[in-house]
Amino acid sequence: MAAPVYSYDKDLYSRAYLNCYQRQSLVRLGEAVPDVTLLFAGALVGTDEIHRQIVREGRPRYDFESPVLDAEALALLGVTARQTPAADYAEARPLLLEAVRESGFALPVIDVFYLPHCVEYRKQHVTHTIMLTGLEDGHWSFVDDNPASVLCEYRFPERVVADAFDNGELRQVRTFTTAGYDPAEAAAGIAAMFAARLEAYTDTYAVLKGAADLLGSPWIAPGRAITLLGDVFTVYLGSRTCLREYVRRQLPDPETDALLGTAVERAAGLRSRLLIGAVTGLVDVSALAAEALTLKETEERLLDRLRAEVLQRL
């Protein structure tokens, strides 16, 4: 029987841009902090940075690092994040129980090799987080991805969670506390942070201009090149989806919103081409390169519009 789906915005809080810890945290924080989507000011990430992490460093797409959970921005929303190391599950257990009692959830860092609902179960070791929500009758209730990367509710014996924690490379408990905050002050403070990030923002768009070169590189296997470029456009798509949510709240400008919508649509088209190419091994390189250049033009117009609308207010 399929696990019940947890109630959340699946398009906004997807694994396209947010890693497991960020997504689980934001979904649950959003239930207590109405302005949590202001944190998507941290979704303004350039294609150069995406290229660096995904292509040059070979970082898995699901482990992309971004400033979405910036400590200063969280503080403006009355939120404090903590990461506490624990030698083993016995030491972590009281921390987990206290966090669940106080905030309703806790995020232990575990190894999916030991979780029966994961596709990597007994096959692959991957560091991950799960959102614990309650311990009853020797079973933990928690929220985690199903095989389709949709957040679902699970319930397993405590021993399963203990094994996943004890055998992980990074034994850590991540928790949040919330307090009151001034919504107007939070919006203004995060807007100032966004403006500073925008003012310092640079991007050469090298990966968009060089999509054909990447696919034709003699140093990367063709299948690997298709996967890497697909991950680049997936992360870009997710980032601009999140950024659009922030801009709609803080900068209700129809032209900016339309440009973000176009960027999302074009990135989705490029990702689809590459997903098909990953299966068939065939990609129309010329057509893809032309679409990537069109996306570059959209991104340039978007950044010009954002600068015109945001920086003039400084």
Side-chain angles (χ1 to χ4, degrees), residues 48-248:
D48 285 349
E49 178 62 16
I50 298 172
H51 181 249
R52 181 185 69 80
Q53 290 194 40
I54 300 298
V55 179
R56 295 189 178 278
E57 295 182 358
R59 183 185 295 274
R61 174 178 57 76
Y62 54 76
D63 196 30
F64 186 82
E65 291 187 354
S66 76
V68 166
L69 292 180
D70 177 85
E72 184 180 349
L74 284 169
L76 287 167
L77 294 173
V79 179
T80 301
R82 293 185 176 87
Q83 301 187 57
T84 307
D88 53 28
Y89 178 76
E91 183 179 339
R93 190 176 191 270
L95 300 172
L96 296 168
L97 289 171
E98 180 182 6
V100 169
R101 183 169 56 253
E102 291 186 353
S103 66
F105 72 109
L107 300 161
V109 183
I110 51 83
D111 186 338
V112 297
F113 184 87
Y114 300 91
L115 295 182
H117 70 286
C118 294
V119 295
E120 300 89 352
Y121 180 58
R122 302 298 179 187
K123 298 176 184 176
Q124 186 178 3
H125 294 276
V126 178
T127 299
H128 185 54
T129 63
I130 56 176
M131 184 205 302
L132 300 181
T133 57
L135 179 63
E136 185 178 4
D137 297 329
H139 287 69
W140 272 113
S141 296
F142 64 94
V143 176
D144 191 23
D145 293 300
N146 69 5
S149 291
V150 174
L151 289 178
C152 292
E153 299 178 84
Y154 296 92
R155 190 170 186 267
F156 283 137
E158 185 174 15
R159 182 71 260 164
V160 172
V161 175
D163 286 344
F165 187 88
D166 283 338
N167 292 285
E169 289 186 7
L170 182 63
R171 289 181 291 279
Q172 194 176 82
V173 174
R174 298 176 177 177
T175 59
F176 293 87
T177 55
T178 59
Y181 67 97
D182 183 324
E185 183 179 327
I190 292 175
M193 294 171 62
F194 180 74
R197 184 176 293 119
L198 183 60
E199 192 169 26
Y201 185 97
T202 61
D203 200 346
T204 68
Y205 310 107
V207 72
L208 301 182
K209 293 184 290 187
D213 293 335
L214 178 60
L215 291 174
S217 172
W219 314 113
I220 306 176
R224 175 63 174 163
I226 290 171
T227 297
L228 287 173
L229 197 55
D231 285 351
V232 165
F233 288 119
T234 297
V235 173
Y236 175 87
L237 166 63
S239 73
R240 294 310 180 259
T241 299
C242 293
L243 181 61
R244 190 181 192 187
E245 184 69 16
Y246 170 76
V247 169
R248 280 176 166 173

Side-chain angles (χ1 to χ4, degrees), residues 2-49:
V5 174
Y6 193 76
S7 179
Y8 72 107
D9 186 328
K10 300 173 190 62
D11 293 325
L12 184 60
Y13 298 102
S14 78
R15 287 295 298 274
Y17 177 62
L18 304 171
N19 62 37
C20 57
Y21 166 59
Q22 293 170 336
R23 181 170 66 145
Q24 292 166 5
S25 301
L26 288 167
V27 164
R28 192 56 190 254
L29 284 172
E31 298 173 11
V33 183
D35 297 302
V36 75
T37 53
L38 291 175
L39 295 171
F40 286 140
L44 179 64
V45 58
T47 63
D48 285 349
E49 178 62 16

